[in-house]
C-alpha cells in the first residue's frame, strides 16, 4: 500500500514545482522591453559598398625564340665554365657544416704572430680559425682575420651550372 502513496506524493511535488516555475515567468519585464526599444531606436551602421573587381586580362605567351616554360632547363652541362670549382676531394673543416649566418665571431687571439678568430658554432663549441681554413656551407676560405672581423671568399653556384667566387665577412658579435 505504501507503494501507491509514493507516486501520488511525487506527482504532487512535481505539480507544485511546475506551478512555481510558471509563477516566476509572470514577473515584470518592463526593463527588457525598454532595452529592446532603445536598441531598435539606434540608427543602423552604414553598409560598406562592394569593392570594384578588376577585369582579368589574360596573358598570351609568345615564345619569340625563348624556351618553353613547361620544359625544365637542362643543367647537366654547365653553360659557363670560368674554371672556378670547389675542391670536393679535400676533407671538410668542422665549421663547414653550418651556414655562415649561424656562426658568430666571439673574439680573436694572436699567437706566434698569427691572428686567430674565435668562432662560436650553433652547438655552443668555440673554434679557433686562422687564414686559409674553411667555414660556411659555400666552401668559404678565410682570407684575413682582424679585430674588425673575418673576411673570406666563398664559391657559390652561379645558376647556370657553374660557380663564381664571392666575398663574405663575419663581424664580431655585439
Amino acid at each position: 500500500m505504501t507503494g501507491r502513496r509514493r507516486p501520488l506524493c511525487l506527482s504532487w511535488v512535481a505539480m507544485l514545482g511546475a506551478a512555481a516555475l510558471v509563477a516566476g515567468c509572470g514577473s515584470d519585464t518592463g526593463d527588457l522591453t525598454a532595452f529592446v526599444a532603445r536598441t531598435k531606436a539606434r540608427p543602423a551602421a552604414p553598409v560598406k559598398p562592394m569593392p570594384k573587381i578588376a577585369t582579368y586580362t589574360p596573358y598570351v605567351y609568345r615564345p619569340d625564340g625563348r624556351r618553353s616554360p613547361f620544359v625544365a632547363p637542362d643543367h647537366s652541362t654547365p653553360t659557363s665554365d670560368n674554371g672556378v670549382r670547389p675542391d670536393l676531394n679535400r676533407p671538410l673543416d668542422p665549421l663547414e657544416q653550418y651556414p655562415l649566418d649561424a656562426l658568430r665571431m666571439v673574439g680573436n687571439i694572436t699567437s706566434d704572430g698569427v691572428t686567430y678568430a674565435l668562432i662560436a658554432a650553433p652547438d655552443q663549441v668555440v673554434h679557433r680559425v686562422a687564414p686559409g681554413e674553411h667555414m660556411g656551407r659555400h666552401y668559404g676560405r678565410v682570407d684575413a682575420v682582424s679585430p674588425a672581423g673575418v673576411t673570406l671568399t666563398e664559391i657559390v653556384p652561379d645558376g647556370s651550372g657553374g660557380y663564381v667566387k664571392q666575398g663574405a665577412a663575419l663581424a664580431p658579435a655585439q
Side-chain angles (χ1 to χ4, degrees):
M1 189 127 196
T2 58
R4 281 183 148 183
R5 283 190 178 181
R6 213 173 257 178
L8 187 59
C9 245
L10 287 176
S11 64
W12 276 103
V13 170
M15 285 185 0
L16 285 174
L21 283 173
V22 170
C25 291
S27 64
D28 184 28
T29 59
D31 57 342
L32 178 61
T33 306
F35 172 75
V36 170
R38 279 193 316 267
T39 303
K40 286 184 177 182
R42 280 191 284 183
V47 178
K48 293 181 182 177
M50 291 288 293
K52 297 202 185 249
I53 298 174
T55 58
Y56 172 71
T57 307
Y59 176 77
V60 178
Y61 177 75
R62 291 184 181 82
D64 298 330
R66 294 180 281 184
R67 70 171 181 84
S68 170
F70 303 106
V71 177
D74 181 24
H75 288 298
S76 60
T77 58
T79 57
S80 65
D81 188 13
N82 56 7
V84 177
R85 294 247 176 256
D87 182 7
L88 301 177
N89 295 326
R90 71 168 176 80
L92 296 178
D93 288 346
L95 290 177
E96 287 186 278
Q97 64 181 323
Y98 305 108
L100 201 56
D101 61 352
L103 302 174
R104 294 181 314 121
M105 180 179 170
V106 294
N108 65 338
I109 57 172
T110 302
S111 175
D112 294 331
V114 179
T115 302
Y116 296 93
L118 300 176
I119 306 294
D123 60 359
Q124 304 304 319
V125 175
V126 177
H127 298 267
R128 187 179 74 171
V129 177
E133 294 183 22
H134 295 83
M135 55 193 267
R137 288 214 175 133
H138 294 290
Y139 310 101
R141 185 175 190 278
V142 176
D143 295 327
V145 175
S146 71
V150 177
T151 57
L152 49 124
T153 303
E154 294 182 312
I155 300 175
V156 296
D158 66 357
S160 300
Y163 293 90
V164 294
K165 290 186 178 183
Q166 171 180 307
L170 188 62
Q174 303 267 343

